[in-house]
């Protein structure tokens, strides 16, 4: 299958998934009792978007060479897509934009200055993430919070993979399903820029085979590019922690981002982080090798 056809298939799968999620009565359409498919029909999406049924059908089937931004925006409004979903729709449909933004060669090397920044964040777990949530660098407190990344083969240093397949990491999340689905949505959005990335294909293939939840959630084509929030952890040493997280993209390399986790001063979570940091400096099991 060509890269172009693969993108078109992704576009069709996404559109079908989104129109299946929309209730006809939400759009002011009669529900009736003879509907053979959930959600909206193709012709109803075309009607709501004020485009021809043939145009929309060809787009969904991957037979339309290109689609105008105005038509895509109309379809997004018809399907009640949010900002992230609309952006994802444009990325899938615009082959030229996708090709120009995707980087065929991803440099996984982390600058010395970046590693020094990580190490200086002594009271803050911090990671450098590459494409598709791969872990490229970390500090001591991130090891104490998550796992010994240095002990893992490079291909297994990935937060999405660890969230699903590593029992220790999986048990960290107080609400594992919410965290796992957020990871899937984040990587699904990111995947539109690198649809033929062999590392991504291997990751998705492995997770699809080994985890039923991942296979089902990946197939829903839910997307989100959330770069901040709060996660609750149940750590075997530090206890319960509510940590604010944010992801900051490096200007010198848009394929690398800094993920930091913190807690407001004076809170129990802040005290737990300080305890974890102290424990990590005296525990020989916490490796800092990279």
């Amino acid at each position: 299958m060509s890269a172009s056809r693969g993108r078109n298939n992704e576009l069709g799968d996404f559109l079908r998934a989104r129109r299946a999620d929309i209730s006809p009565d939400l759009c002011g359409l009669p529900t009736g009792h003879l509907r053979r498919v959930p959600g909206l029909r193709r012709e109803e999406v075309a009607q709501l978007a004020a485009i021809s049924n043939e145009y929309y059908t060809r787009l969904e089937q991957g037979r339309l060479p290109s689609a105008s931004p105005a038509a895509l925006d109309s379809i997004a409004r018809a399907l009640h897509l949010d900002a992230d979903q609309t952006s994802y729709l444009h990325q899938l449909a615009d082959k030229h934009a996708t090709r120009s933004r995707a980087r065929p060669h991803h440099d996984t090397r982390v600058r010395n200055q970046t590693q020094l920044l990580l190490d200086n964040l002594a009271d803050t777990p911090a990671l450098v993430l590459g494409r598709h949530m791969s872990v490229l660098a970390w500090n001591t407190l991130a090891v104490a919070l998550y796992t010994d990344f240095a002990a893992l083969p490079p291909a297994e240093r990935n937060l999405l993979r660890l969230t699903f397949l590593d029992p220790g990491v999986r048990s960290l999340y107080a609400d594992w399903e919410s965290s796992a689905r957020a990871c899937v949505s984040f990587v699904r959005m990111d995947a539109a820029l690198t649809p033929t990335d062999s590392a991504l294909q291997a990751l998705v293939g492995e997770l699809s085979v080994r985890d039923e939840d991942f296979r089902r959630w990946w197939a829903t084509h839910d997307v989100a590019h959330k770069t901040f929030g709060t996660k609750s952890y149940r750590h075997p040493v530090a206890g319960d922690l509510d940590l604010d997280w944010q992801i900051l993209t490096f200007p010198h390399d848009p394929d690398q981002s800094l993920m930091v986790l913190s807690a407001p001063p004076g809170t129990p979570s802040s005290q737990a982080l300080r305890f974890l940091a102290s424990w990590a400096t005296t525990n020989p099991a916490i490796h800092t090798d990279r």
Side-chain angles (χ1 to χ4, degrees):
M1 179 181 296
S2 69
S4 175
R5 181 63 183 273
R7 279 191 293 271
N8 286 334
N9 285 344
E10 287 289 303
L11 174 60
D13 290 343
F14 176 68
L15 289 172
R16 283 187 289 272
R18 296 289 71 78
R19 65 181 173 88
D21 284 342
I22 298 296
S23 172
D25 56 5
L26 179 65
C27 303
L29 297 173
T31 55
H33 300 287
L34 300 177
R35 287 184 172 270
R36 294 179 296 175
V37 296
L40 300 180
R41 303 185 182 99
R42 284 176 179 162
E43 58 268 26
E44 291 171 334
V45 177
Q47 175 186 348
L48 293 168
I51 59 178
S52 72
N53 182 42
E54 179 185 4
Y55 184 97
Y56 178 79
T57 299
R58 292 177 63 199
L59 178 66
E60 188 174 290
Q61 292 179 342
R63 298 187 292 113
L64 193 68
S66 63
S68 72
L72 294 173
D73 286 336
S74 295
I75 293 170
R77 288 191 294 270
L79 294 175
H80 293 257
L81 303 187
D82 61 25
D84 285 342
Q85 292 171 328
T86 301
S87 175
Y88 183 73
L89 174 64
H90 279 268
Q91 289 170 10
L92 290 177
D94 190 341
K95 301 175 185 178
H96 298 295
T98 301
R99 184 181 298 113
S100 65
R101 292 181 62 187
R103 297 172 180 242
H105 302 291
H106 176 36
D107 191 353
T108 60
R109 294 172 298 178
V110 172
R111 293 171 182 253
N112 292 335
Q113 297 92 328
T114 301
Q115 185 62 63
L116 180 61
L117 171 63
L118 291 179
D119 294 337
N120 285 337
L121 295 173
D123 297 325
T124 303
L127 303 162
V128 174
L129 301 179
R131 286 180 181 174
H132 321 312
M133 301 191 75
S134 59
V135 179
L136 306 181
W138 52 88
N139 65 4
T140 300
L141 197 48
V143 173
L145 178 64
Y146 282 103
T147 190
D148 185 357
F149 296 105
L152 299 173
E156 297 182 11
R157 297 173 190 165
N158 181 284
L159 280 187
L160 177 64
R161 186 185 188 280
L162 292 168
T163 297
F164 280 91
L165 301 185
D166 186 290
V169 174
R170 185 172 179 138
S171 66
L172 282 175
Y173 298 107
D175 184 354
W176 175 82
E177 179 174 337
S178 177
S179 296
R181 296 195 72 157
C183 288
V184 172
S185 297
F186 187 90
V187 173
R188 171 58 92 172
M189 180 108 183
D190 187 36
L193 299 178
T194 55
T196 59
D197 188 311
S198 59
L200 172 65
Q201 293 173 348
L203 176 65
V204 171
E206 179 187 18
L207 290 174
S208 297
V209 169
R210 298 183 59 181
D211 192 279
E212 181 180 352
D213 287 328
F214 175 85
R215 183 168 61 252
R216 184 173 68 255
W217 296 336
W218 186 259
T220 65
H221 288 258
D222 288 334
V223 294
H225 191 68
K226 190 175 183 181
T227 56
F228 64 92
T230 302
K231 288 187 183 295
S232 297
Y233 297 84
R234 292 172 178 164
H235 196 273
V237 173
D240 293 344
L241 302 97
D242 295 320
L243 300 181
D244 299 324
W245 63 273
Q246 57 183 321
I247 297 177
L248 310 171
T249 301
F250 290 111
H252 60 267
D253 189 347
D255 281 338
Q256 293 187 8
S257 301
L258 176 68
M259 178 180 175
V260 293
L261 300 106
S262 59
T267 62
S269 294
S270 177
Q271 296 171 3
L273 271 184
R274 287 200 300 270
F275 172 78
L276 186 62
S278 176
W279 173 81
T281 60
T282 60
N283 191 322
I286 301 298
H287 301 290
T288 58
D289 297 336
R290 298 175 178 90

